[in-house]
Amino acid sequence: MAMAEPEFSATGVRIERWPRSLTKAGQVRIKDGRLALLTSYGRVIESAPVRGVRAGKPWFADEASTVATVNGKRYRLTMGQRSRRPEGRALAGRFLEALRGAGGARS
Protein backbone atom coordinates (compact mmCIF):
# COMPACT_ATOMS: atom_id res chain seq x y z
CA MET A 1 0.00 0.00 0.00
CA ALA A 2 1.51 3.34 -1.09
CA MET A 3 1.41 6.26 1.27
CA ALA A 4 -0.17 9.47 0.01
CA GLU A 5 2.15 12.37 -0.67
CA PRO A 6 2.11 14.88 2.17
CA GLU A 7 0.53 18.15 1.17
CA PHE A 8 0.98 21.58 2.66
CA SER A 9 -0.51 24.96 1.89
CA ALA A 10 -0.05 28.29 3.66
CA THR A 11 -1.15 31.78 2.67
CA GLY A 12 -0.07 35.14 4.04
CA VAL A 13 3.59 34.11 3.80
CA ARG A 14 6.30 36.73 3.51
CA ILE A 15 8.73 35.46 0.84
CA GLU A 16 12.13 37.12 0.71
CA ARG A 17 15.13 36.57 -1.51
CA TRP A 18 17.97 38.50 0.02
CA PRO A 19 18.10 41.43 0.16
CA ARG A 20 14.51 42.14 -0.85
CA SER A 21 10.99 41.05 -0.11
CA LEU A 22 9.21 39.45 -3.07
CA THR A 23 5.76 39.36 -1.46
CA LYS A 24 4.28 39.97 1.97
CA ALA A 25 1.19 37.82 1.37
CA GLY A 26 2.49 34.93 -0.72
CA GLN A 27 1.62 31.26 -0.77
CA VAL A 28 3.69 28.14 -0.14
CA ARG A 29 2.38 24.84 -1.47
CA ILE A 30 3.59 21.27 -1.53
CA LYS A 31 1.52 19.19 -3.90
CA ASP A 32 2.23 16.13 -6.04
CA GLY A 33 5.88 16.07 -4.98
CA ARG A 34 6.56 19.71 -5.90
CA LEU A 35 7.15 22.83 -3.85
CA ALA A 36 5.77 26.08 -5.25
CA LEU A 37 6.32 29.61 -3.96
CA LEU A 38 3.60 31.92 -5.27
CA THR A 39 2.72 35.61 -5.09
CA SER A 40 -0.56 36.72 -3.54
CA TYR A 41 -1.98 36.72 -7.09
CA GLY A 42 -0.94 33.09 -7.70
CA ARG A 43 2.02 33.87 -10.00
CA VAL A 44 4.84 31.35 -9.56
CA ILE A 45 7.98 32.80 -7.99
CA GLU A 46 9.81 29.47 -7.92
CA SER A 47 8.88 25.81 -8.25
CA ALA A 48 10.87 22.59 -7.93
CA PRO A 49 10.53 18.90 -7.06
CA VAL A 50 10.75 18.54 -3.26
CA ARG A 51 13.66 16.11 -3.58
CA GLY A 52 15.80 19.05 -4.78
CA VAL A 53 14.73 21.44 -1.99
CA ARG A 54 16.67 22.02 1.23
CA ALA A 55 15.04 23.80 4.15
CA GLY A 56 15.63 24.48 7.80
CA LYS A 57 15.21 26.91 10.69
CA PRO A 58 17.68 29.81 10.60
CA TRP A 59 19.41 30.66 13.86
CA PHE A 60 19.04 34.39 13.15
CA ALA A 61 15.27 34.60 12.67
CA ASP A 62 12.09 34.17 14.68
CA GLU A 63 10.38 30.81 15.12
CA ALA A 64 7.87 31.46 12.31
CA SER A 65 10.65 31.66 9.71
CA THR A 66 12.33 29.01 7.61
CA VAL A 67 15.01 29.20 4.94
CA ALA A 68 14.52 27.15 1.79
CA THR A 69 16.98 26.62 -1.05
CA VAL A 70 15.01 26.08 -4.26
CA ASN A 71 16.84 25.66 -7.58
CA GLY A 72 20.00 27.00 -5.93
CA LYS A 73 18.29 30.19 -4.69
CA ARG A 74 17.79 30.91 -0.98
CA TYR A 75 14.43 32.15 0.22
CA ARG A 76 13.32 33.19 3.68
CA LEU A 77 9.72 32.19 4.35
CA THR A 78 7.90 33.79 7.29
CA MET A 79 4.61 32.05 8.00
CA GLY A 80 1.54 33.88 9.32
CA GLN A 81 3.18 37.21 8.52
CA ARG A 82 0.20 39.00 7.06
CA SER A 83 -2.24 38.51 9.91
CA ARG A 84 0.45 38.23 12.62
CA ARG A 85 -1.26 35.10 13.86
CA PRO A 86 0.48 33.15 16.60
CA GLU A 87 0.29 29.92 14.59
CA GLY A 88 3.21 31.05 12.39
CA ARG A 89 5.57 28.87 14.41
CA ALA A 90 3.28 25.83 14.03
CA LEU A 91 2.94 26.45 10.27
CA ALA A 92 6.73 26.66 9.90
CA GLY A 93 7.10 23.32 11.69
CA ARG A 94 4.38 21.70 9.57
CA PHE A 95 6.08 23.02 6.41
CA LEU A 96 9.39 21.40 7.38
CA GLU A 97 7.66 18.12 8.31
CA ALA A 98 5.69 18.03 5.03
CA LEU A 99 8.82 18.80 3.01
CA ARG A 100 10.79 16.08 4.78
CA GLY A 101 7.93 13.61 4.40
CA ALA A 102 7.78 14.30 0.67
CA GLY A 103 11.52 13.68 0.24
CA GLY A 104 13.05 17.12 0.77
CA ALA A 105 16.24 17.63 2.76
CA ARG A 106 16.66 19.37 6.09
CA SER A 107 19.54 21.82 6.27
Side-chain angles (χ1 to χ4, degrees), residues 5-11 13 28-31 35 50 55-57 63-66 77 79-80 85-104 106:
E5 291 273 340
E7 293 198 11
F8 176 84
S9 180
T11 58
V13 179
V28 175
R29 288 189 197 153
I30 298 174
K31 185 173 181 179
L35 169 71
V50 292
K57 300 282 278 171
E63 294 180 353
S65 293
T66 61
L77 311 173
M79 308 289 174
R85 290 178 281 168
E87 66 261 13
R89 179 186 346 162
L91 277 172
R94 283 187 28 229
F95 166 70
L96 292 174
E97 287 176 23
L99 188 68
R100 187 174 36 248
R106 180 96 190 233

Side-chain angles (χ1 to χ4, degrees), residues 12-63:
V13 179
R14 181 182 189 103
I15 301 173
E16 299 171 285
R17 181 156 183 249
W18 291 276
R20 61 177 233 198
S21 174
L22 301 175
T23 182
K24 293 181 181 177
Q27 302 172 46
V28 175
R29 288 189 197 153
I30 298 174
K31 185 173 181 179
D32 298 328
R34 290 191 68 82
L35 169 71
L37 306 178
L38 308 160
T39 66
S40 57
Y41 300 106
R43 184 179 59 86
V44 176
I45 295 169
E46 197 78 48
S47 177
V50 292
R51 294 195 187 283
V53 175
R54 294 185 57 83
K57 300 282 278 171
W59 62 268
F60 55 83
D62 65 29
E63 294 180 353

